[in-house]
Amino acid sequence: MPEQYAIEMRGITKTFGSVVANNNINLNLRQGEILALLGENGSGKTTLMNMLSGIYAPDAGQILVDGQPVTISSPEDSKRLGIGMVHQHFKLVDVFSAADNIWMGREKPGFALKRQRYDEIEQMSKKFGFDIDPKKKVRNMAVSEKQTLEIIKVLYYGAKVIILDEPTAVLTVQEIEKLFSVLRRMKEAGHSIIIITHKLNEVMDISDRVAILRKGEYITTVNTAETNEQELTEWMVGRKIDLNIDRPVVEKTRPLLEIRDLTIKNDEGATAIDKVSFYIRGGEILGVAGIAGCGQKELCEAIAGLRPVQSGLMIHKGDNIVGLPPKAILEKGISMSFIPEDRLGMGLAPSLSITDNMILKNYADARGLFVDRKSGRADALRVIEELEVVTPSTETPVRRLSGGNVQKVLLGREIKAGPNVIVTAYPVRGLDINSSYAIYDILNQQKKDGVGILFVGEDLDVMLALCDKIMVLCHGRVMGVVHAHKTSKEELGLMMTGALDLTDKHEDKPAGIARDTNITAEHLESAREEEN
Amino acid sequence: MSFHVVKREACPLWKKACFYLLAVLAALTLGGLLLLAMGVNPLAYYSRMFTMGMVGNKIAYKAFENYLKVFVPLALTSVALSLAFKMRFWNIGGEGQFIMGAIAAATVALKLGSSLPNAVTLILMCLAAMLAAGLYGVFVAALKVKFGTNETLMTLMLNYVALYILAFLGDRKADWNFFLQAESVRPVFQSFADVAAFPKIMLGKFGLNLCVLLTFAVGAVIFVYLKYTKQGYEISVVGDSAGTAHYAGMKVNTIVLRTVFLSACLIGLAAAFKVGTAGVLSTAITDDVGWTGIIVAWLSQLNTAVIFVVSALISMLHYGSVAAAASFSRVDSSFANMLQGVILFLVLTADFFIRFRIVRTQKGGKDNGNG
Amino acid sequence: MKKFLALVMAMAMTLSLVACGNAGSGSASGSGAETAELTVGAIYINSKNDTAGYTFAHHNGIVNGMKKLGLDPDKQLFIVDEVPEDKQQVLAAVDTLVGQGADIIFGISFGYIDAMEEAAGLYPEVIFSHGTGYKSNETNFNNYFGRAYQARYLAGIAAGLKSLETGNNNVGYVAAYTTAYAETASGINGFALGVQAANPDAKVYVKNLGNWADEVNEKAYAEELINTFGCGVISQHCDSAQPQIAAENAGVFGCGYNSDMTGDAPKAHLTAAIWNWDVYYATAMQAAMDCAGDASKFVETMGGPAYYGGLKEGFVDVSPLSANCAANTDKAIEAVKAMMVNGEWDVFTGVKLSIAADGTVTSADAALVDNAGNEIVAAGGPSVEDGVITGSMNYLVAGVEEV
């Protein structure tokens, strides 16, 4: 008798337009195991799982739950079959308490909210060793708490199979450890777990088996104990790859950009960046680490002149640039390539051609009424050639390009302008390994040319390898600036959660003040008085 | 078996043409069945419709002049709307802006027409209409920029405000109301055709109104403006992503105000052309161009050159179906309107199939599990 | 798309053919018209397929008029309908009809007035006839309307006798407009004078709709007249039967308009002032045919630039009296109608009729006075019917109150 799987997916195919997201995928999940679903971004992991959770219906293929063929046409079907998914983007109501967020999806009869719901949920979370206050409102929760809540919610509805979509992306090292111990406990309790990730060390750490997808194709499933990171990478990428990131040693210049006591508010009016001071030298990459929403976005926007500054100074080559319009800051040589969540929102106009995106920042310099597309086209050709952008032509809308090529176009344009400071946020988000390395090379090349780079990143391994120094932010405050070759992930993780504050340590001079400023002490005094 | 909708990547031109042609044919077939049910020969009706009743017409040149009178305001309004739409500013207020422009143009004609040379009056009419319509439009843009109001609702509501202002002017006999004929007991709009009328270039009996040439000229200018100028470039960037425009150092608010003003100005110009040709106001002065223009702009995918082609076709449908209805006693204008509606609806359906396609969901994969 | 383009080209070719001259006639008439050979054009404000209302009444009139003269409406009648009161659109409709070879073009809505005048100048070979207007020329352009006030007077008699019978002197009138239009003012005045002839103590309360058609308010105003002003008979100048239905529901009586509304309000309706448009249309089309292709003789053939038919021509009338009418109503109406048909008396004169309960009619000199006390016609003075034709009547007679 063949083995009875918790989930079996046979020949699953799903297409979006002409894009085949999943092609004839076979996957099975044993009872009580942790299966890692490994693949690069865009390899179809989330799509495949969304078909289990009822968000998409497969174009072709069959799904079996406990050996029985089933049709999952809605999230309710999925819930009924005991499948629960924790999505990357949490699906919680901010103004509700933890208990109510769980409560509202239930199908039990009864109209009124009962007090006992708090007890019921507290008991549940105790059972699995969760630490959560059922009465706490979601909006007051940290990211890790929200994730815990999502997991409890799934368990509450009796899920036997739990799918977690990149659960570690938003967590610190310590929180990841905590999550993994919860997962192990759940496994012991008989749950079957699928964890989507593209981080190899986590795969090795937590999973029993690994299923690998590449570009929508199923590659293989192996026992974790019988493989290693190098082998997994080769399956994932399709060929051998060097996993080392270069960190060239470059002669550093004096600080190009110096931030002093900078305070910025976010869109809601709360303080996003609180009296932050740091500087960037030419020829170095300063990493900015922090949990999502700790003020990185606001900091980048303020430097680019897109967000008003409450107080503090931003000194570029001796001049205070606070209050200058974005265009003036641009002309001073500070370039920002901000890659927001949807990658195309800011920095590029998605429906416009590469040529048109090339001229975005300097179109106004052309003489007369008309835009100068001739030089834009020449720039586009140069960027396409130098950065090996894959595109049918210079007139292709950038939204038709793949993620890596979009990023190259964006960075290419920024570099072409010959900036002396580059502010770049999440430049490799969503990129495959090859594209990511291409982007690192571009940044390193700039560094060699004496450009100062502010690199807002999310993958600590990458930052440790690429950056010269790393500044850690926690709730808008600097927790310290450390040398990348002297620190560790654990140390960074502690700083990100605010558990470790290194600002008093002298060796890294986090609040060091540059000496080439022509802003005098009196200037500073008067600026401070104005504030008060 | 079930189906689902999938976005189409690209659609070759011939396929697009086929879809549109099919849509028109389907609409005509549907209309034909209805015509048959009414006891009218569809072929006879359609042949009259597509020739706009000009075959066997002893004054066909007049019919063509009238056709152009329908075409000019529609084409110009559609071009104007496409400007705002390109910026993702949903100006649904074409009707209201048109009316404001028409009132302003009529005011100039009635007040100054008798004392100024015709050419000067006409230029002043155009300027006044553009200013009035422009301000009426930019008012909404200003509210949007300042307070983040929804321009769709605002422009829509202001259509009715303008319409009721016009109706009031057309209904209220009073000493101050110079829009009405003083000598008529009933309220009737005062004509100014004798003091302010766009000249015609006579080609035999056919008089080519100057407005037609001006409309094509404006169309060409806007085509170049959108495609090659810095301001046109700014419009595309703002329309595509306001965040990106801001990031690139563009003054987004200024661009929004400027573009909406220009859009509304052109609608005002269309109104001046209309009023300067009709020589009189009326409560039906817009002939619904503010609405139809939206459809035209959409079908043309905001391409200025295509707008002229689509406007020509829709005007033909509009004028032709009425002209055809005249000769069939059982077919009234409502049928003509309905047929237009069916054709437009099916063309928009075709548009849907050009952008998307429907795929059948397959069941059952091969049993080649990996366990 | 290709088909469209092909047709655009066809259109252009047609145009170039036309430019060569329009000698090739073929279908159209216009030269040497024989009897029963006339192409009729009409411009309507609403749909020609309407089943009630203003356009319906005119369409019926034209079709019936054509049938009377042996013309075939299916072949000889061309209509552009749903044309708003927009000069350019009316002129375009005229162009279309002239292009179809129309010999005579009727425009039924008042707002067509300037366009009709201009068209008459543009196309001197075509006859233009404008309903409810007042403009005309001496050759090919006339206007037409009826003495509806005469029929209204007769309906007023029925209402007056009814109010006498019920002992309720309050009579209501739902009017599209009041003094803004001579058409509505003369209707109200004619009716009120008829009421007063039968019941000198009666008072007519008028509600002004401010609109030619507004079914909701037509009903609401009628109810207000019944409930607030205690009216026992409701007359109306509006398209729908709503006021009659309101009267029926309230158990009072009413006089309809435009068509016999007894079917709508069997227990309430007395009689309605109605139009027989075919009377005019047949007359005008006959005159057009008599012109024998010379449109400039039309006005002369019609005997003047304004046709203003009344009871005498049968252009207006009252619908058959219902069983709800008071005794002797038929007798009184017959007598007064005869006086107007003979031309011995008319409504807006210095002579007042009195109708006794037994239906006998007596006349006496009395001044026509408006409700502000101004004398319009001195006792024994002549008719001011011109005021109705040229549209200058802008007063309501004594005994009428606008509320």
Side-chain angles (χ1 to χ4, degrees):
Chain A
M1 187 179 153
E3 185 181 354
Q4 173 116 321
Y5 292 109
I7 300 267
E8 204 178 340
M9 299 178 90
R10 291 181 188 162
I12 300 290
T13 297
K14 177 75 190 171
T15 54
F16 297 104
S18 59
V19 179
V20 182
N22 287 150
N23 185 20
N24 195 24
I25 306 261
N26 300 300
L27 185 88
N28 47 47
L29 175 69
R30 289 184 180 141
Q31 306 280 1
E33 73 161 350
I34 298 181
L35 175 74
L37 186 55
L38 182 68
E40 293 195 79
N41 279 302
S43 59
K45 303 176 302 254
T46 305
T47 305
L48 186 66
M49 289 302 107
N50 277 339
M51 281 184 275
L52 279 182
S53 68
I55 290 174
Y56 299 136
D59 296 346
Q62 200 179 19
I63 298 172
L64 288 84
V65 173
D66 293 332
Q68 300 300 313
V70 293
T71 308
I72 305 174
S73 51
S74 74
E76 280 71 37
D77 287 353
S78 163
K79 203 155 100 184
R80 230 166 282 133
L81 291 165
I83 301 171
M85 184 161 171
V86 176
H87 295 269
Q88 217 171 346
H89 302 285
F90 304 139
K91 299 179 189 317
L92 297 169
V93 181
D94 262 6
V95 294
F96 279 12
S97 68
D100 290 343
N101 262 288
I102 296 172
W103 210 250
M104 68 183 181
R106 70 176 206 147
E107 284 170 0
K108 289 179 189 166
F111 185 69
L113 286 173
K114 298 197 180 95
R115 194 158 292 275
Q116 76 189 54
R117 67 185 188 274
Y118 295 120
D119 305 334
E120 202 177 316
I121 282 154
E122 194 155 10
Q123 277 166 18
M124 267 220 46
S125 52
K126 279 221 184 86
K127 196 172 118 196
F128 288 95
F130 294 115
D131 176 26
I132 199 157
D133 175 6
K135 290 183 183 172
K136 193 171 181 179
K137 296 254 194 297
V138 168
R139 63 168 168 213
N140 298 326
M141 287 183 177
V143 184
S144 61
E145 282 180 283
K146 291 184 192 174
Q147 189 176 59
T148 309
L149 177 59
E150 283 279 14
I151 295 171
I152 298 174
K153 192 163 94 179
V154 165
L155 290 171
Y156 179 84
Y157 291 117
K160 298 297 290 174
V161 174
I162 294 153
I163 305 161
L164 297 131
D165 189 1
E166 306 233 7
T168 60
V170 292
L171 302 180
T172 62
V173 182
Q174 286 79 7
E175 288 167 337
I176 290 171
E177 261 320 303
K178 224 165 141 189
L179 172 70
F180 283 181
S181 64
V182 165
L183 293 185
R184 289 196 188 96
R185 217 167 305 144
M186 282 162 54
K187 179 177 135 186
E188 278 158 29
H191 293 283
S192 313
I193 297 165
I194 300 177
I195 175 167
I196 302 179
T197 182
H198 59 258
K199 291 181 187 166
L200 296 170
N201 51 351
E202 292 171 0
V203 172
M204 299 307 291
D205 190 3
I206 187 81
S207 68
D208 299 312
R209 290 194 306 150
V210 192
I212 298 145
L213 299 186
R214 188 203 309 150
K215 290 183 179 146
E217 304 277 350
Y218 171 75
I219 303 301
T220 186
T221 304
V222 292
N223 288 328
T224 311
E226 295 160 13
T227 185
N228 58 47
E229 291 195 23
Q230 191 63 41
E231 197 181 31
L232 289 176
T233 310
E234 280 174 32
W235 273 319
M236 187 161 86
V237 182
R239 63 192 143 76
K240 280 198 191 308
I241 199 152
D242 180 10
L243 285 176
N244 292 321
I245 301 172
D246 282 344
R247 179 161 48 204
V249 180
V250 179
E251 182 77 12
K252 293 182 181 64
T253 67
R254 289 194 155 176
L256 288 169
L257 180 68
E258 188 195 334
I259 305 294
R260 243 186 249 174
D261 288 338
L262 195 68
T263 300
I264 312 163
K265 291 200 164 143
N266 65 14
D267 292 336
E268 282 78 42
T271 303
I273 284 288
D274 190 5
K275 300 225 164 164
V276 162
S277 297
F278 67 91
Y279 59 83
I280 307 169
R281 291 175 186 274
E284 73 171 2
I285 299 181
L286 174 66
V288 177
I291 297 167
C294 68
Q296 307 102 314
K297 179 174 159 240
E298 287 80 5
L299 178 64
C300 293
E301 287 178 353
I303 295 175
L306 298 173
R307 181 174 284 277
V309 167
Q310 298 302 309
S311 67
L313 296 173
M314 298 193 295
I315 301 157
H316 176 259
K317 289 187 170 176
D319 300 321
N320 187 4
I321 57 166
V322 168
L324 291 183
K327 200 157 171 40
I329 292 177
L330 206 65
E331 279 159 5
K332 284 180 129 341
I334 299 176
S335 125
M336 182 171 107
S337 60
F338 191 83
I339 317 295
E341 318 263 310
D342 61 359
R343 198 181 301 147
L344 286 168
M346 203 190 275
L348 291 172
S351 306
L352 269 52
S353 67
I354 299 176
T355 302
D356 278 9
N357 272 292
M358 279 296 145
I359 59 174
L360 185 67
K361 285 183 168 177
N362 62 1
Y363 75 97
D365 302 339
R367 259 193 269 167
L369 279 173
F370 298 100
V371 287
D372 180 9
R373 283 208 175 76
K374 216 167 163 186
S375 70
R377 202 160 291 131
D379 287 340
L381 281 171
R382 206 174 317 130
V383 168
I384 290 169
E385 194 184 334
E386 285 172 10
L387 304 185
E388 293 168 350
V389 177
V390 181
T391 172
S393 81
T394 56
E395 303 313 303
T396 308
V398 293
R399 75 177 136 79
R400 292 256 178 90
L401 304 181
S402 70
N405 288 313
V406 169
Q407 227 84 312
K408 284 177 184 172
V409 168
L410 179 53
L411 271 176
R413 185 188 66 207
E414 297 305 316
I415 291 163
K416 164 196 69 114
N420 44 54
V421 174
I422 293 178
V423 178
T424 177
Y426 316 119
V428 296
R429 177 177 280 179
L431 298 195
D432 59 35
I433 289 185
N434 284 321
S435 306
S436 300
Y437 278 71
I439 298 294
Y440 303 146
D441 286 344
I442 294 168
L443 292 176
N444 275 329
Q445 186 56 47
Q446 290 298 304
K447 172 176 148 183
K448 282 182 200 161
D449 293 347
V451 176
I453 298 166
L454 187 74
F455 179 98
V456 179
E458 44 195 349
D459 187 332
L460 291 181
D461 290 316
V462 168
M463 292 177 79
L464 284 169
L466 178 71
C467 299
D468 297 286
K469 289 190 286 183
I470 299 173
M471 174 170 75
V472 182
L473 291 176
C474 175
H475 296 306
R477 304 184 75 115
V478 176
M479 287 290 121
V481 180
V482 292
H483 286 288
H485 60 276
K486 288 186 195 163
T487 188
S488 65
K489 271 167 80 177
E490 285 68 31
E491 190 180 44
L492 292 174
L494 289 172
M495 291 165 80
M496 280 159 75
T497 51
L500 178 65
D501 189 343
L502 292 179
T503 44
D504 288 337
K505 283 182 83 180
H506 289 293
E507 54 170 328
D508 292 298
K509 290 200 196 75
I513 288 170
R515 276 159 302 186
D516 63 346
T517 169
N518 57 10
I519 295 177
T520 60
E522 288 84 67
H523 268 110
L524 282 175
E525 251 338 286
S526 63
R528 236 167 243 148
E529 269 162 33
E530 266 173 45
E531 260 174 58
N532 304 333
Chain B
M1 195 193 301
S2 61
F3 297 90
H4 56 275
V5 176
V6 173
K7 199 160 164 56
R8 208 183 272 274
E9 274 303 299
C11 192
L13 197 66
W14 67 268
K15 218 169 180 179
K16 277 189 195 173
C18 276
F19 270 119
Y20 285 133
L21 199 64
L22 261 174
V24 173
L25 285 178
L28 292 181
T29 312
L30 205 66
L33 290 174
L34 278 168
L35 284 168
L36 275 178
M38 287 191 289
V40 174
N41 178 0
L43 290 179
Y45 181 85
Y46 286 142
S47 67
R48 278 211 82 77
M49 186 173 108
F50 284 118
T51 54
M52 298 193 292
M54 295 203 297
V55 174
N57 184 332
K58 55 180 179 173
I59 49 165
Y61 60 93
K62 274 276 187 193
F64 196 67
E65 282 178 18
N66 289 329
Y67 163 73
L68 287 175
K69 284 177 192 168
V70 175
F71 166 76
V72 163
L74 180 62
L76 200 50
T77 305
S78 309
V79 167
L81 289 173
S82 73
L83 266 179
F85 290 170
K86 192 135 197 166
M87 205 178 57
R88 308 251 168 100
F89 183 96
W90 305 116
N91 182 8
I92 309 298
E95 288 279 299
Q97 288 146 21
F98 195 97
I99 288 172
M100 284 310 190
I103 293 175
T107 308
V108 169
L110 289 166
K111 284 289 182 191
L112 304 173
S114 49
S115 52
L116 291 174
N118 190 27
V120 178
T121 311
L122 288 173
I123 291 168
L124 285 179
M125 279 168 74
C126 291
L127 292 177
M130 287 167 79
L131 189 68
L135 291 177
Y136 204 63
V138 86
F139 169 63
V140 177
L143 287 177
K144 184 188 171 80
V145 165
K146 196 95 183 135
F147 304 110
T149 53
N150 180 317
E151 77 272 16
T152 312
L153 278 178
M154 292 294 294
T155 48
L156 182 69
M157 292 306 168
L158 284 178
N159 282 344
Y160 297 101
V161 173
L163 185 61
Y164 282 111
I165 289 175
L166 181 60
F168 175 77
L169 292 177
D171 203 33
R172 185 57 52 100
K173 274 203 70 78
D175 292 339
W176 55 264
N177 195 345
F178 55 86
F179 292 100
L180 298 183
Q181 287 177 12
E183 68 274 16
S184 169
V185 183
R186 289 193 183 189
V188 176
F189 278 114
Q190 174 68 41
S191 166
F192 42 82
D194 46 339
V195 291
F198 279 96
K200 284 184 192 173
I201 300 159
M202 297 310 291
L203 306 168
K205 284 188 170 183
F206 171 70
L208 180 65
N209 198 302
L210 184 63
C211 293
V212 180
L213 299 179
L214 290 176
T215 301
F216 278 98
V218 170
V221 169
I222 294 298
F223 180 80
V224 172
Y225 176 80
L226 278 175
K227 200 148 187 186
Y228 298 110
T229 68
K230 292 178 189 173
Q231 298 198 348
Y233 177 75
E234 287 171 344
I235 291 172
S236 337
V237 176
V238 171
D240 208 26
S241 163
T244 299
H246 189 52
Y247 157 89
M250 294 178 185
K251 295 193 178 78
V252 176
N253 287 351
T254 313
I255 295 167
V256 169
L257 290 174
R258 182 184 71 206
T259 307
V260 174
F261 184 70
L262 185 60
S263 165
C265 270
L266 288 180
I267 293 175
L269 186 64
F273 284 178
K274 169 94 185 197
V275 168
T277 311
V280 67
L281 276 180
S282 98
T283 46
I285 191 85
T286 68
D287 206 9
D288 289 347
V289 287
W291 306 121
T292 319
I294 296 169
I295 298 171
V296 172
W298 167 264
L299 284 177
S300 317
Q301 286 169 2
L302 311 185
N303 180 319
T304 315
V306 180
I307 283 175
F308 274 80
V309 177
V310 174
S311 300
L313 293 174
I314 296 221
S315 306
M316 187 165 138
L317 186 60
H318 183 69
Y319 186 80
S321 55
V322 172
S327 33
F328 294 89
S329 58
R330 290 188 184 87
V331 186
D332 65 358
S333 291
S334 299
F335 177 83
N337 282 331
M338 193 206 66
L339 189 66
Q340 281 181 62
V342 171
I343 291 181
L344 285 179
F345 178 78
L346 287 176
V347 167
L348 288 175
T349 310
D351 202 59
F352 174 82
F353 281 107
I354 285 167
R355 286 161 207 245
F356 301 96
R357 63 202 175 87
I358 297 214
V359 176
R360 210 170 84 184
T361 307
Q362 298 166 34
K363 271 282 159 72
K366 278 185 212 114
D367 189 359
N368 51 353
N370 58 314
Chain C
M1 219 43 110
K2 276 177 190 158
K3 190 168 180 181
F4 268 125
L5 288 171
L7 285 157
V8 170
M9 289 174 72
M11 199 168 71
M13 285 191 290
T14 314
L15 200 72
S16 59
L17 286 177
V18 168
C20 301
N22 57 350
S25 63
S27 69
S29 58
S31 55
E34 296 153 31
T35 39
E37 191 164 302
L38 183 77
T39 306
V40 179
I43 306 172
Y44 293 165
I45 186 94
N46 288 326
S47 167
K48 57 189 168 192
N49 289 342
D50 276 2
T51 51
Y54 187 73
T55 296
F56 168 74
H58 281 268
H59 183 60
N60 246 357
I62 291 175
V63 168
N64 289 337
M66 288 179 83
K67 283 179 185 157
K68 261 192 210 170
L69 300 178
L71 300 168
D72 179 2
D74 275 345
K75 293 206 177 81
Q76 289 166 284
L77 174 59
F78 294 90
I79 299 163
V80 182
D81 59 356
E82 294 175 36
V83 178
E85 295 184 337
D86 176 295
K87 193 172 171 189
Q88 195 170 310
Q89 292 192 44
V90 178
L91 284 173
V94 167
D95 291 340
T96 302
L97 294 173
V98 172
Q100 301 283 345
D103 301 306
I104 179 166
I105 293 173
F106 297 108
I108 66 166
S109 194
F110 174 79
Y112 299 167
I113 185 161
D114 287 347
M116 294 292 283
E117 186 182 35
E118 189 171 327
L122 279 174
Y123 300 108
E125 73 280 11
V126 178
I127 297 162
F128 291 87
S129 188
H130 180 219
T132 77
Y134 56 84
K135 289 194 175 173
S136 60
N137 65 18
E138 286 170 1
T139 53
N140 65 333
F141 176 39
N142 82 336
N143 61 64
Y144 58 97
F145 207 19
R147 298 168 193 268
Y149 66 87
Q150 293 183 332
R152 292 267 187 204
Y153 189 91
L154 300 182
I157 292 173
L161 287 171
K162 194 73 200 173
S163 75
L164 213 55
E165 183 193 88
T166 59
N168 178 349
N169 290 336
N170 300 326
V171 175
Y173 195 108
V174 180
Y177 294 90
T178 55
T179 52
Y181 297 105
E183 177 190 348
T184 49
S186 64
I188 296 165
N189 290 338
F191 179 78
L193 292 172
V195 170
Q196 289 162 2
N199 179 0
D201 299 325
K203 200 155 172 44
V204 177
Y205 294 98
V206 180
K207 284 292 294 183
N208 185 356
L209 276 172
N211 205 325
W212 292 106
D214 179 355
E215 286 205 20
V216 175
N217 278 336
E218 284 168 23
K219 181 173 185 193
Y221 285 3
E223 283 165 352
E224 187 187 339
L225 286 168
I226 295 163
N227 299 329
T228 310
F229 296 94
C231 296
V233 184
I234 300 293
S235 183
Q236 66 175 76
H237 188 145
C238 50
D239 275 358
S240 86
Q242 287 299 337
Q244 300 310 309
I245 294 165
E248 170 103 357
N249 293 340
V252 298
F253 299 91
C255 294
Y257 180 53
N258 267 341
S259 63
D260 187 348
M261 293 180 173
T262 307
D264 298 299
K267 281 184 241 150
H269 194 247
L270 302 175
T271 182
I274 56 168
W275 294 86
N276 296 317
W277 289 103
D278 56 325
V279 170
Y280 170 70
Y281 286 117
T283 311
M285 288 185 273
Q286 184 60 54
M289 288 190 281
D290 292 345
C291 289
D294 184 359
S296 66
K297 283 198 230 145
F298 177 70
V299 170
E300 190 190 328
T301 313
M302 284 299 289
Y307 174 89
Y308 207 65
L311 289 171
K312 182 177 160 196
E313 293 81 3
F315 192 12
V316 297
D317 207 344
V318 282
S319 64
L321 304 182
S322 80
N324 302 324
C325 289
N328 301 320
T329 303
D330 50 345
K331 192 175 154 198
I333 286 180
E334 274 313 310
V336 177
K337 185 174 171 180
M339 289 171 80
M340 285 194 266
V341 170
N342 298 337
E344 64 186 86
W345 179 82
D346 201 10
V347 178
F348 302 116
T349 58
V351 179
K352 206 167 185 173
L353 302 185
S354 298
I355 291 145
D358 63 358
T360 50
V361 180
T362 52
S363 65
D365 286 0
L368 183 66
V369 182
D370 73 10
N371 62 0
N374 306 313
E375 187 181 270
I376 306 296
V377 183
S383 169
V384 287
E385 61 176 37
D386 273 4
V388 189
I389 299 170
T390 58
S392 68
M393 182 178 273
N394 58 357
Y395 51 85
L396 296 175
V397 296
V400 179
E401 190 185 341
E402 192 177 337
V403 291

